[in-house]
Amino acid sequence: AQTVTQSQPEMSVQEAETVTLSCTYDTSESDYYLFWYKQPPSRQMILVIRQEAYKQQNATENRFSVNFQKAAKSFSLKISDSQLGDAAMYFCAYSYSGAGSYQLTFGKGTKLSVIP
Amino acid sequence: EAQVTQNPRYLITVTGKKLTVTCSQNMNHEYMSWYRQDPGLGLRQIYYSMNVEVTDKGDVPEGYKVSRKEKRNFPLILESPSPNQTSLYFCASSLSGGANYGYTFGSGTRLTVV
């Protein structure tokens, strides 16, 4: 079974600084997708970024980028120029790309605080 | 506005009293799913549906039922709620490819069973 591990339960960052959230996963598949979701205090789950495993290029969305290391099964999220609105729980998630892939497997989350 | 709508947003109930949490999406998505979120455990899938009348169990289906009679609706039913079902519940939907493009989530239902 696939597992997703987020080893940092909590992190903090100064406003305008850069922070990196870690995620590792375990799978025997070669084709899959990885995601980062943001959950602010409003508790809405918001898709931040998506990475396809067969693509070498790291995904980027504005201030958010990932460092995808397939061999190491690592998928970290970098937030640049941190803003107060970035304070939230962040969840890493995995999806197998084959038939019947209806499940997102989530990590336990990292709570990010942004210090003014 | 494209969205997944869950109701109610908050619910307090007593042990054993049947309840239904409704979920509706207006995006014509084929795939729908229910997750529960518990502190320190992340989100875990309860049930999912690939299309009308097609549903299957996720990782934690015990104590829950679902139905998919219409494409837009996917209610979650707790026939006899127990305190260990106190949790934050999310409904989610996806257009195609199952979970591969990520799910669009509803705003959650905070359920407390006393």
Side-chain angles (χ1 to χ4, degrees):
Chain A
Q2 293 80 16
T3 58
V4 177
T5 302
Q6 295 178 249
S7 59
Q8 306 149 316
E10 295 189 28
M11 292 193 72
S12 62
V13 61
Q14 291 284 145
E15 197 174 2
E17 298 294 310
T18 295
V19 65
T20 298
L21 308 184
S22 300
C23 173
T24 58
Y25 57 94
D26 185 26
T27 183
S28 58
E29 306 295 338
S30 59
D31 264 346
Y32 49 86
Y33 297 83
L34 297 163
F35 307 83
W36 279 98
Y37 276 87
K38 172 185 178 181
Q39 186 181 45
S42 67
R43 78 189 189 203
Q44 182 71 44
M45 293 289 288
I46 303 165
L47 179 62
V48 175
I49 203 163
R50 171 178 173 268
Q51 174 78 42
E52 300 172 58
Y54 64 86
K55 287 189 175 179
Q56 297 288 337
Q57 188 173 6
N58 289 324
T60 299
E61 290 287 342
N62 301 314
R63 297 182 296 107
F64 298 86
S65 62
V66 298
N67 183 6
F68 173 48
Q69 302 288 330
K70 191 172 184 178
K73 296 181 181 175
S74 171
F75 183 61
S76 60
L77 175 69
K78 185 172 83 171
I79 306 174
S80 303
D81 184 26
S82 296
Q83 300 175 0
L84 295 177
D86 294 334
M89 283 289 289
Y90 287 83
F91 292 96
C92 179
Y94 164 99
S95 169
Y96 164 59
S97 66
S101 58
Y102 305 109
Q103 183 176 57
L104 280 178
T105 300
F106 286 87
K108 296 180 179 180
T110 296
K111 183 177 181 180
L112 178 66
S113 301
V114 180
I115 303 165
Chain B
E1 179 188 354
Q3 60 185 1
V4 177
T5 303
Q6 288 179 238
N7 281 297
R9 191 163 168 81
Y10 297 92
L11 178 60
I12 301 174
T13 190
V14 297
T15 299
K17 185 176 181 181
K18 180 179 178 179
L19 66 90
T20 299
V21 183
T22 63
C23 174
S24 180
Q25 50 91 6
N26 62 1
M27 297 168 282
N28 201 36
H29 283 177
E30 291 181 349
Y31 303 93
M32 297 187 74
S33 185
W34 277 101
Y35 283 82
R36 62 176 288 173
Q37 181 182 358
D38 301 290
L41 295 179
L43 285 83
R44 295 175 292 168
Q45 193 179 48
I46 303 170
Y47 269 95
Y48 61 89
S49 170
M50 297 78 85
N51 214 324
V52 175
E53 302 291 1
V54 184
T55 64
D56 207 348
K57 298 176 181 179
D59 289 331
V60 288
E62 294 77 21
Y64 305 95
K65 285 176 57 177
V66 293
S67 68
R68 187 96 180 269
K69 293 184 171 58
E70 304 167 282
K71 195 172 187 178
R72 62 182 292 127
N73 295 323
F74 190 44
L76 179 69
I77 302 157
L78 284 71
E79 294 271 4
S80 182
S82 62
N84 65 12
Q85 293 178 298
T86 292
S87 187
L88 177 59
Y89 290 87
F90 286 98
C91 180
S93 71
S94 176
L95 175 61
S96 63
N100 292 338
Y101 291 88
Y103 276 106
T104 299
F105 285 82
S107 54
T109 296
R110 173 74 68 185
L111 172 66
T112 302
V113 183
V114 299

